[in-house]
Amino acid sequence: DAGVTQSPTHLIKTRGQQVTLRCSPKSGHDTVSWYQQALGQGPQFIFQYYEEEERQRGNFPDRFSGHQFPNYSSELNVNALLLGDSALYLCASTWGTGVYEQYFGPGTRLTVT
Amino acid sequence: AQKVTQAQTEISVVEKEDVTLDCVYETRDTTYYLFWYKQPPSGELVFLIRRNSFDEQNEISGRYSWNFQKSTSSFNFTITASQVVDSAVYFCALSEGDKGSRLTFGEGTQLTVNP
């Protein structure tokens, strides 16, 4: 039973560029959430996708956008990268929109230079 | 607004010692859920426990135990007879009832267990 997978593992980008991160949820899960974790801090909620729609959004600018595909996989896009966007980006999956435990992927380490 | 505070940034113990990680939360909701996650050096968050606001019973799972006290808005985590493999960052998190599985995390506690 595959868990949550994310790609790529590491990524280095330059300020102003755009980046796309990918996530495949755990088998049987249909809800995907994205979190940003800066070094030494707790994860911060970016947004959540269910039934291919953004259901909830945290306090992140419009430069952060996402998408969910019919197979429940998801992408996180960040435009006009800033140095402050350097972080570990975590994807989590669960069932529906209730309060169940979320399963996290290993994350994508994004470095903006 | 919801908030989770983990006042202990780092804790260092010697193997076999007991250790308690503190978590204090703030919420205006009467229905909410509390979680603990473990983050080893690999980076992947591992789910440990979920507790809802209506269940104040303490829980024990092997060497792990959790003490939930609504009167002090605390949800503390104790590891008994710690082991080197327990070394990790531990996060407490809160989800308010109307926000589904959206989690608000604390800043985490780095636990180091020395042999």
Side-chain angles (χ1 to χ4, degrees):
Chain A
D1 180 18
V4 179
T5 60
Q6 293 186 243
S7 63
T9 305
H10 295 88
L11 204 51
I12 299 175
K13 289 287 189 177
T14 304
R15 271 180 303 175
Q17 286 188 319
Q18 178 264 343
V19 67
T20 297
L21 310 182
R22 295 175 176 82
C23 170
S24 291
K26 180 179 170 63
S27 178
H29 288 185
D30 56 9
T31 302
V32 173
S33 298
W34 287 91
Y35 292 81
Q36 180 195 65
Q37 186 178 18
L39 197 62
Q41 296 184 20
Q44 300 285 319
F45 176 80
I46 303 175
F47 42 54
Q48 182 182 82
Y49 277 84
Y50 173 67
E51 292 185 337
E52 301 179 50
E53 290 187 11
E54 183 182 291
R55 297 291 177 164
Q56 295 192 64
R57 188 178 184 91
N59 189 24
F60 279 81
D62 292 344
R63 298 187 297 109
F64 290 76
S65 63
H67 188 77
Q68 186 178 35
F69 299 94
N71 67 352
Y72 310 123
S73 66
S74 176
E75 287 182 350
L76 164 65
N77 301 293
V78 187
N79 294 323
L81 284 167
L82 304 173
L83 294 179
D85 295 331
S86 295
L88 179 68
Y89 288 85
L90 295 164
C91 172
S93 72
T94 190
W95 310 265
T97 56
V99 185
Y100 305 107
E101 56 265 33
Q102 295 188 70
Y103 290 80
F104 283 80
T108 293
R109 173 71 63 187
L110 173 64
T111 301
V112 182
T113 62
Chain B
Q2 68 274 25
K3 184 179 179 181
V4 176
T5 301
Q6 295 179 254
Q8 304 151 308
T9 305
E10 296 182 25
I11 299 177
S12 182
V13 299
V14 177
E15 205 169 19
K16 296 185 183 178
E17 283 186 22
D18 298 347
V19 58
T20 295
L21 309 181
D22 298 333
C23 172
V24 174
Y25 62 91
E26 295 177 29
T27 177
R28 292 178 182 161
D29 277 16
T30 56
T31 301
Y32 53 89
Y33 298 79
L34 295 164
F35 300 78
W36 275 95
Y37 280 85
K38 174 182 179 181
Q39 187 174 42
S42 62
E44 186 169 337
L45 285 161
V46 177
F47 167 80
L48 297 178
I49 189 172
R50 178 187 71 158
R51 224 16 164 198
N52 73 55
S53 52
F54 300 107
D55 184 0
E56 284 193 75
Q57 284 190 340
N58 292 330
E59 181 157 338
I60 298 175
S61 176
R63 296 185 296 107
Y64 295 170
S65 63
W66 291 269
N67 184 314
F68 176 26
Q69 291 195 339
K70 289 177 73 171
S71 61
T72 56
S73 296
S74 65
F75 186 44
N76 296 336
F77 173 31
T78 297
I79 301 175
T80 303
S82 59
Q83 299 176 2
V84 173
V85 294
D86 295 327
S87 296
V89 181
Y90 289 85
F91 290 98
C92 180
L94 167 71
S95 177
E96 293 178 326
D98 62 344
K99 293 185 174 60
S101 53
R102 168 180 178 169
L103 295 173
T104 297
F105 284 86
E107 293 297 294
T109 297
Q110 170 71 61
L111 173 65
T112 302
V113 182
N114 299 297

